[in-house]
């Protein structure tokens, strides 16, 4: 299910409760697609930053090559979105724009406002959303597939709700600019408005329009079932099952297409009494999952006896993801 889904999409999100193996599954899918000849970018937005540990190499906020295809044209690149660095870069860009557009004597006020805004609620999310929008744009232009390894469920649902919110907010700002520019044009005809102010207003409009277009593209991709899908990764335990049911409801409410569920680290039935007992308990939890989310395909991935580190281990995991839905 999952590999076939990835092969038919341009953008794939993997999310779920923390600690269920999202990074491993995302990397295994991305590597499989790269070895099938596609140009793939895997992006981690999870502050835990496990992508580098999984690949046993340094992966940071800049795109790096993780693997080449198996003798073909495909390859896999990776990047970990650093929320702190992303917020700093976002505020620096906003500061530069405001400094250019605002009168010089207000420069200190601009700096004070942005210094306070750095720790304001939602600032990091807005900055990460801008980066996600940029990476989706990069992916559509330079890659065949972008695989997002997302932060735990609550953060992800909030992040995916922001494009529409930010787009509406920017639309409101543009409407205010329209009103201001109409008043400004009347004042200019009466000789009360400098040409430099008109240029400044035009540049503000241009900045806001570009921002609205970026969020509009992201919102279109997120809700386009032909290009995008969200796959929920979970463990067969009570809390991950309940959280997954809630996450699917939130995603469907946002019109984000949900492609299926991956139940990771499934205990074997025939490896001793302890694991057999866990298998039975997991089966009961999965009955709840199927009762609540029976409209979605489910793939079960067995618990593996080794740590998942490097391309060879991820290839093994990728082969398991190619199984028939359970």
């Amino acid at each position: 299910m999952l590999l076939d889904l990835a092969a038919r999409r341009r953008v794939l999100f993997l999310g779920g409760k923390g600690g269920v193996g999202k990074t491993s599954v995302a990397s295994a899918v991305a590597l499989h697609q790269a070895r099938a000849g596609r140009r793939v970018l895997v992006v981690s937005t999870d502050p835990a930053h496990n992508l580098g540990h999984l690949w046993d190499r340094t992966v940071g906020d800049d795109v790096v090559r993780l693997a080449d295809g198996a003798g073909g044209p495909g390859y896999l690149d990776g990047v970990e979105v650093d929320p702190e660095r992303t917020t700093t870069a976002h505020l620096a860009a906003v500061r530069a724009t405001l400094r250019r557009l605002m009168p010089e004597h207000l420069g200190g006020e601009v700096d004070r406002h942005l210094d306070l805004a750095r720790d304001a609620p939602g600032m990091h999310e807005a900055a990460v959303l801008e980066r996600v929008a940029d990476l989706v744009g990069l992916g559509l232009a330079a890659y065949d597939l972008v695989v997002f390894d997302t932060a735990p469920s609550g953060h992800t649902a909030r992040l995916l709700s922001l494009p529409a919110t930010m787009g509406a907010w920017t639309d409101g700002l543009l409407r205010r600019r329209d009103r201001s520019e109409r008043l400004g044009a009347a004042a200019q005809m009466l000789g009360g408005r400098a040409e430099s102010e008109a240029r400044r207003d035009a540049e503000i409009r241009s900045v806001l329009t570009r921002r609205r277009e970026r969020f509009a593209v992201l919102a279109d991709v997120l809700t386009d079932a032909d290009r995008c899908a969200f796959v929920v990764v979970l463990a067969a335990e009570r809390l991950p099952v309940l959280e997954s049911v809630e996450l699917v409801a939130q995603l469907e409410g946002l019109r984000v297409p949900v492609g299926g569920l991956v139940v990771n680290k499934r205990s074997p039935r025939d490896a001793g009494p302890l694991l057999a007992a866990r298998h039975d308990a997991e089966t009961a939890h999965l009955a709840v999952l199927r009762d609540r989310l029976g409209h979605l395909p489910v793939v079960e991935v067995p618990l593996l006896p080794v740590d998942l580190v490097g391309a060879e281990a991820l290839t093994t995991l990728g082969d398991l993801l190619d199984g028939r839905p359970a």
Side-chain angles (χ1 to χ4, degrees):
M1 176 270 291
L2 182 52
L3 298 183
D4 182 59
L5 183 71
R8 295 182 284 108
R9 297 296 185 276
R10 298 293 310 280
V11 179
L12 190 68
F13 286 87
L14 285 96
K17 188 175 175 60
V20 296
K22 297 185 299 292
T23 305
S24 299
V25 174
S27 291
V29 172
L31 179 61
H32 179 275
Q33 290 298 297
R35 288 184 168 170
R38 302 181 80 190
R39 300 164 299 168
V40 185
L41 175 66
V42 60
V43 179
S44 175
T45 65
D46 191 339
H49 290 332
N50 289 321
L51 193 61
H53 299 312
L54 183 65
W55 285 91
D56 196 23
R57 59 160 300 171
T58 299
V59 179
D61 203 56
D62 298 313
V63 175
V64 298
R65 180 63 45 87
L66 294 177
D68 292 311
Y75 54 82
L76 174 60
D77 291 344
V79 62
E80 290 180 338
V81 174
D82 183 334
E84 287 295 330
R85 179 176 169 182
T86 298
T87 301
T88 298
H90 173 73
L91 288 174
V94 171
R95 191 185 306 270
T97 300
L98 289 178
R99 282 280 199 163
R100 188 174 68 253
L101 297 176
M102 299 296 287
E104 187 174 346
H105 71 277
L106 294 179
E109 195 65 29
V110 167
D111 290 340
R112 281 191 293 274
H113 173 76
L114 292 178
D115 288 342
L116 290 172
R118 179 179 184 84
D119 295 319
M123 174 56 70
H124 285 215
E125 289 174 315
V128 169
L129 181 69
E130 295 259 11
R131 188 75 195 282
V132 168
D134 289 340
L135 288 167
V136 167
L138 171 66
L140 294 176
Y143 293 89
D144 301 308
L145 173 67
V146 186
V147 180
F148 282 92
D149 161 36
T150 69
S153 306
H155 298 288
T156 297
R158 168 67 178 158
L159 185 69
L160 295 184
S161 71
L162 281 177
T165 302
M166 298 292 282
W169 183 72
T170 305
D171 283 342
L173 290 177
L174 281 167
R175 286 193 294 272
R176 292 185 181 90
R177 294 310 310 169
D178 285 338
R179 187 163 57 249
S180 173
E181 288 169 10
R182 286 196 299 270
L183 291 173
Q188 189 171 16
M189 288 194 309
L190 296 173
R193 189 166 187 259
E195 184 178 345
S196 60
E197 291 183 52
R199 286 198 302 269
R200 184 187 67 194
D201 283 350
E203 186 169 356
I204 292 173
R205 163 170 283 282
S206 177
V207 169
L208 291 174
T209 299
R210 287 197 302 271
R211 195 165 191 263
R212 181 181 63 181
E213 289 172 350
R214 182 187 300 137
F215 288 134
V217 168
L218 179 58
D220 285 346
V221 171
L222 287 174
T223 56
D224 183 353
D226 291 329
R227 290 187 291 172
C228 177
F230 196 106
V231 173
V232 179
V233 182
L234 68 147
E237 300 170 359
R238 180 176 179 272
L239 291 182
V241 165
L242 295 177
E243 192 166 311
S244 298
V245 170
E246 183 177 343
L247 177 58
V248 169
Q250 292 172 324
L251 293 169
E252 291 179 341
L254 294 169
R255 296 188 301 113
V256 175
V258 180
L261 308 163
V262 174
V263 180
N264 198 22
K265 304 176 184 177
R266 185 78 157 94
S267 298
R269 183 187 290 111
D270 56 356
L274 176 61
L275 290 177
R278 283 195 58 85
H279 181 91
D280 291 342
E282 291 170 1
T283 298
H285 293 310
L286 292 182
V288 174
L289 185 77
R290 290 188 172 87
D291 179 62
R292 301 287 295 276
L293 299 177
H295 60 291
L296 296 174
V298 179
V299 169
E300 296 183 18
V301 177
L303 178 68
L304 297 177
V306 296
D307 289 335
L308 285 170
V309 179
E312 184 176 348
L314 290 170
T315 299
T316 299
L317 177 58
D319 291 340
L320 295 171
L321 295 171
D322 201 24
R324 298 176 62 184

